[in-house]
Each structure stands twice: as C-alpha cells, then as structure tokens.
Amino acid sequence: MSAVAVLALSAAPADAQNRGRQQAPAPVDPAVVMAEAQTAATAAGLACQVVEANRLGSTPAGTAFEVACGVGPGFLVVAGETPQAYNCLGLAASAADDTSARCTMPRNADVLAAVRPYAEAANLGCSVDQAAWIGQVPSGEDRYEIGCANSEGYWIDVAKASTTPSVILPCLEVTGASRMCQYTTKDEQVAWIAAKYGPSLPAGCTPADVRVAGQNQQAKFYEVKCSNDSGYFVRTLITDGSFDRAIPCADALSIGGGCTLVDTSAAVAAATTARSAALAAVYPDCQAGEAQLIGREQGATQREVVEFRCAGKPIGVVGFLGAADPADNEALDCITATLRNLECRMTTAAQIKTTLQAQMDSGNMPCAIRAFMVHGRTDDLRGDFTEIKCEDDRSLFGQFPHDRSRAAVDVMICARARLLYGFECEL
C-alpha cells in the first residue's frame, strides 16, 4: 500500500511595494474560508461536509486548506487546476519528520471519531475501541484497521468520495491470509464466534478456538474447536452470514483441507467403521475400503450420503445411511447413482466407461461407448435401463445388471425401447 504524498506549503509572496516592511495581514472572514474550503473539498472529490476550515497558504499547485468533515477523517486540500486531497490520518501516520506537512486541528487527530461512522454505516455491530489508518490500497481507497470491544475486528477500505466502506475484511480472514490485525486478539475472535453462532452449535460445544477455513459461491466456512476437544466446520451463508449447519470434523475432510485445530484421526476411524457396517447390511457385495462423506439428504430422512471404494471392484458405491430404521438405508453403485445426480469422486469416469463397455461387449449388439445415461431401474431393482451413445452415432437402449460382471441384455434401438418401455433416447 502506498504512503500519502507529502504536501509542501509556502508563504504567499508579499506585494512588491511592501517588500522588506512588516505589514499586518488583512483579517480573514471565517465564512469566506469555509465556503472556499467546501468548494475545494467538493472539487477534490471528497464526501465531506466541511464543519471547520483553515486557510493554510499557497503551494505551487494552489491554495491549501485544512478541513474537518462532519463524517470521517479530515483532509489537507489543495484548490488548484487539479484539486487534491490528503487524508490527515494518513499524513500523521506517514510523516517522516517534523517538517512534513500534517494537520493541526485537534478533531483531525481523533482516529476513533473518524472511523466509528464507517463501522455504523457498514452495520458491523461493533463497538469500536481502537483504530488506525494503515495505508492506501492500489485503487486509491484508504484502509483502516478497527478494533471492536470483546469482538472480532476488521480492515475496511473507504473511498474519499464515500462514507461507506467498499471492502470489509474480518480479522479472521486477514490472519488467514498471513497478515496481522494489531487490535484484535484470539480471545475476541472466539467471543465473536461464540456470540454469533454458538447457540446454533451442537450441545456441549463451547468455542475455544476458531479460524476461517474457506468459502465458495454459496457459503463461508469457519473451523471451531470446542472446549471438550471436539470440532466442527460452521457453514454460513454468503448472502447474509447466517448459520446454515455445523459439520463434524470427522465428516469435513474435503473442506478447507480438513480440521486443523483438533485431531480427527480417531473420530474419522470410528465414523468409517460405523458407516462400513451400515453399508454391509444393505450392500454385501461391497467390501468397503476408503469412505468419503458427500453430504446429507434434505427433508425428513437426513440420511448421510457416503461414497465408498469397494475392495477388488472397479467401481464404488454410494450409500444412503443413518435412517432411523436401518431397513430404510440403501446403496447404489456409482453408475446407478447418476440417477440421483450424484457423481462419484473416488471412481473415475474412465472406470465407469470401462465397466459399461465390458457389459456391452458381452451382449448381443456391439458398440464402442461414447456416452451413457441411466433412465431408470428395472422392476426387480437388479439392473438399470440405460441409454448408450456409440462412437458411430448410433443410440441404443438396454438393461444393464447391477452385477457388473454380467452382460447387458435386451439391447435394442431407441424406437423399439419407446414401444416396449416408453423411454425416449436423449443423448
């Protein structure tokens, strides 16, 4: 971030006829100075209602004024052909020595009074107790750090033509980017997360540590370590910051690199063992290996959706587990799971295509598979009605057994599939 430029002031030249003689300056009408200063501030692009002004003298660029604004910091303003404005707080912070230009009005040295309106305009809910100007960003906005009493602090960027921050960076995000907030402690950040999201956390979790774990287009994630050494990822909505859900660290290995504030190894192992046992009860053909939580169903069931690798098999399985009645659990292999718009991550598209190609090659109508689409399950739930697009542009329909070692049967052209089953080819 750039420093504020140094402003050099010089005395106005004396009239030639009075050169060398003492002469009292003409009295200055404060109303005239205020009006001139307001004109200069407006011309310099400031969102400043001038409430106090001093005419400082002349510079090579024009007449200089110090102005205090009703909202925000004060400025040194130069009214010239190209009006310029220098933030008083920035001048004070970057002044190299006593000869550098700086503001002298007492109100223009009050950082807290200048910054508090910005926090209010941004609806931060912050009782500002410390603040500092910390620089200018490349786009020209002034950047401030604000500390909040017993809560999370912020970096905010404010343009000279505005009284509302254009960028708001919570200190959790600042420290997550390896920068530092000098006015916010870890205890204040924990207090903030506890006040904002603590009531929504699972029973028994009192926040003891927190970090920002990342975000996507819909949500931001915080990792919260609880005082009992359990941990969660707190998912909050980008739109308004509201709580969405808490995800146990054992289920959050794919979020922000997984939990780092707590040791999750024992919890992950226990969860994997329990899920593998639940899968075996409904899908004994899969000897479960690695498991990865995809998410959780919405609605009444709230079953976990878990992807598994199956030992000795080319494609994995997606389990829908955790129903109140274990009989309501189910599992589909990674081909059938596409019916529910699920895409396996541990089984590749190439593995799926190779498996389907082997079933196709063993059937009654050869076809080099370009693409496939599962349209439905057979009545006995032991196979899929699947459309195949061949490399030669033919479209075929057939029944593909869930025992992927068996050949596809009743492979036919799309017109016949329409007559027999009512399916329309879509590929």
Side-chain angles (χ1 to χ4, degrees):
M1 288 181 283
S2 63
V4 173
V6 174
L7 177 66
L9 297 174
S10 61
D15 183 88
Q17 294 180 349
N18 297 313
R19 188 176 289 118
R21 294 187 297 166
Q22 295 283 337
Q23 182 175 355
V28 178
D29 185 346
V32 172
V33 174
M34 285 282 286
E36 291 176 346
Q38 181 66 69
T39 298
T42 302
L46 298 179
C48 174
Q49 180 63 47
V50 177
V51 295
E52 187 178 351
N54 287 334
R55 184 191 293 151
L56 303 178
S58 297
T59 75
T63 304
F65 300 87
E66 179 182 351
V67 300
C69 305
V71 174
F75 292 87
L76 291 186
V77 182
V78 180
E81 184 176 343
T82 304
Q84 299 178 48
Y86 303 90
N87 187 315
C88 287
L89 301 176
L91 287 171
S94 59
D97 53 54
D98 289 340
T99 65
S100 299
R102 65 184 70 192
C103 300
T104 59
M105 291 179 184
R107 67 184 298 153
N108 283 346
D110 192 339
V111 184
L112 291 178
V115 171
R116 281 190 179 115
Y118 295 155
E120 294 170 0
N123 295 315
L124 296 181
C126 164
S127 176
V128 180
D129 59 359
Q130 292 173 296
W133 179 93
I134 56 177
Q136 274 187 354
V137 298
S139 55
E141 288 91 348
D142 288 298
R143 175 165 286 177
Y144 305 87
E145 180 183 345
I146 59 176
C148 302
N150 301 313
S151 190
E152 169 78 321
Y154 300 87
W155 281 6
I156 59 173
D157 297 349
V158 187
K160 290 181 173 64
S162 177
T163 57
T164 301
S166 58
V167 174
I168 300 169
L169 292 171
C171 282
L172 277 166
E173 296 185 22
V174 173
T175 55
S178 300
R179 306 295 293 276
M180 184 183 72
C181 282
Q182 60 179 327
Y183 299 138
T184 300
T185 67
K186 177 63 73 172
D187 287 345
E188 287 179 321
Q189 293 177 329
V190 171
W192 175 80
I193 207 82
K196 192 170 182 67
Y197 302 117
S200 301
L201 290 172
C205 178
T206 300
D209 202 353
V210 62
R211 72 177 181 93
V212 170
Q215 68 181 63
N216 55 33
Q217 291 183 333
Q218 292 79 37
K220 182 179 293 184
F221 297 88
Y222 299 92
E223 181 189 350
V224 176
K225 177 183 179 181
C226 310
S227 57
N228 61 6
D229 287 334
S230 62
Y232 297 87
F233 273 100
V234 176
R235 186 180 192 273
T236 67
L237 300 182
I238 291 291
T239 51
D240 59 5
S242 61
F243 177 88
D244 181 53
R245 61 180 178 269
I247 306 167
C249 283
D251 300 338
L253 301 182
S254 62
I255 302 174
C259 289
T260 61
L261 301 178
V262 297
D263 181 1
T264 61
S265 55
V268 169
T272 299
T273 298
R275 290 165 180 156
S276 297
L279 177 70
V282 294
Y283 204 97
D285 289 341
C286 177
Q287 183 180 347
E290 183 181 353
Q292 185 177 99
L293 181 70
I294 296 175
R296 190 177 290 274
E297 289 182 310
Q298 301 300 307
T301 61
Q302 289 288 301
R303 296 180 301 181
E304 290 184 331
V305 183
V306 186
E307 180 184 350
F308 295 88
R309 292 188 192 271
C310 300
K313 294 185 179 293
I315 61 174
V317 168
V318 177
F320 300 83
L321 310 172
D325 183 352
D328 292 333
N329 291 338
E330 61 177 326
L332 309 172
D333 73 15
C334 287
I335 296 174
T336 307
T338 60
L339 269 174
R340 302 191 185 178
N341 296 317
L342 292 171
E343 182 177 346
C344 289
R345 298 175 182 175
M346 293 187 290
T347 295
T348 67
Q351 288 173 311
I352 289 176
K353 185 176 179 181
T354 297
T355 299
L356 288 174
Q357 187 66 64
Q359 289 187 283
M360 197 73 185
D361 291 345
S362 301
N364 59 346
M365 195 175 292
C367 165
I369 298 175
R370 179 192 301 170
F372 79 97
M373 177 185 290
V374 178
H375 284 257
R377 301 178 72 181
T378 58
D379 291 341
D380 61 7
L381 301 181
R382 295 182 179 179
D384 300 325
F385 290 107
T386 301
E387 177 187 350
I388 298 294
K389 187 72 172 180
C390 306
E391 291 288 359
D392 59 10
D393 277 341
R394 287 180 299 152
S395 290
L396 303 173
F397 222 94
Q399 296 182 42
F400 286 70
H402 289 164
D403 178 355
R404 299 299 175 181
S405 64
R406 293 176 55 200
V409 298
D410 294 335
V411 178
M412 62 191 71
I413 63 174
C414 291
R416 184 167 177 78
R418 185 186 309 115
L419 290 173
L420 292 179
Y421 301 114
F423 287 116
E424 294 285 350
C425 289
E426 298 181 32
L427 295 176

